[in-house]
Amino acid sequence: MPEYMTPFTTMINLTNGVIPNAVVVQKRYLKDMEGLFADSRAEDAEMINNPLLYEVHEATNNPMEEGQLRYSTTTIYPGKVGGEYYFTRGHYHEIGNRAELYMGLAGEGYLLLMTPDGEINVQHMTPGAMSYIPPFWAHRTINIGKENFVFFSCYPSDAGYDYESIVDKGFAQIVVEQDGKPTLLPNPKWTK
Ligand code: PAN
Ligand code: ZN
C-alpha cells in the first residue's frame, strides 16, 4: 500500500508573486551573483550598493523524491549592471533529464536557455506565457522591462540545481540594452 499524502492548495498573488505561507523565501543580492555580469568593473562599482536583484518564494517542501513536484514564484526587479539587465543565477538541473514549466505572471522577461554545447534559445515571457524547459537545458530568466518581472515555476522535486557549471562558464550570450532595446550579444566571459 502506498502512503497517501494529503492534498493541499496554495494561494499565490498573481501580480507580485508573493506566496503568503511560502516555506522558503530566498533573496538574491548582487553579492550573491559575483562574477556573473559580463562588465566586471560595473559589477564591482555597483557592489557598494549591493541591490536586491530577485526573490524566490517556494510554495512547498514536498519530498525530494521521483514523482513529486515543487513549485515557486520568482520576482526579478528592474535594473541593469553595465547595461546588462538583472537576471537569475541560472542553472542546469542536477538530474539533467528533469524538465520544468514556467508561466509569466507580470512584467516582461526573457527565458534564456542553453545546451551544454553552448546552443542558445530565447523565449519571450509576458503574463500568460507558458514556457517549457526541456530536459538538459540550462535556464536563466532576465527582466527586460521597467516593472517587476514575475513568473511561476513547477518542477520535479528531485531535479536539484547545478549552479557551478554556470559560475565556471557562464551563458554563451548576454542580454544588454542597446538603443533602448534588449539585445543578445556574445558573452565575452563565456568558455565552452
Ligand atoms: C526556478 C529558479 C528561480 C531562481 O524556480 O530556481 O527562478 O533562479 P536560480 O535558481 O537560477 O537562482 C527553477 O528553475 N527551479 O528549478
Ligand atoms: Zn530549474
Side-chain angles (χ1 to χ4, degrees), residues 91-93 100 102 133 139 155 159-161:
H91 58 270
Y92 291 95
H93 288 151
E100 182 161 4
Y102 279 6
I133 301 165
H139 40 289
Y155 50 96
Y161 302 88

Side-chain angles (χ1 to χ4, degrees), residues 110 112 120 122 142 173-176 178 181-186:
Y110 277 168
L112 182 69
I120 286 282
V122 182
I142 302 158
Q173 294 189 12
I174 57 173
V175 183
V176 296
Q178 278 195 348
K181 289 196 208 99
T183 308
L184 279 148
L185 296 177

Side-chain angles (χ1 to χ4, degrees), residues 146-185:
K146 292 189 167 54
E147 315 294 330
N148 292 354
F149 170 46
V150 186
F151 63 95
F152 170 85
S153 324
C154 183
Y155 50 96
S157 294
D158 63 352
Y161 302 88
D162 165 14
Y163 291 111
E164 285 69 33
S165 303
I166 301 301
V167 171
D168 289 350
K169 301 176 174 185
F171 276 75
Q173 294 189 12
I174 57 173
V175 183
V176 296
E177 186 181 63
Q178 278 195 348
D179 302 323
K181 289 196 208 99
T183 308
L184 279 148
L185 296 177

Side-chain angles (χ1 to χ4, degrees), residues 95-106:
I95 302 181
N97 70 0
R98 297 301 193 255
E100 182 161 4
L101 196 59
Y102 279 6
M103 182 179 169
L105 299 179

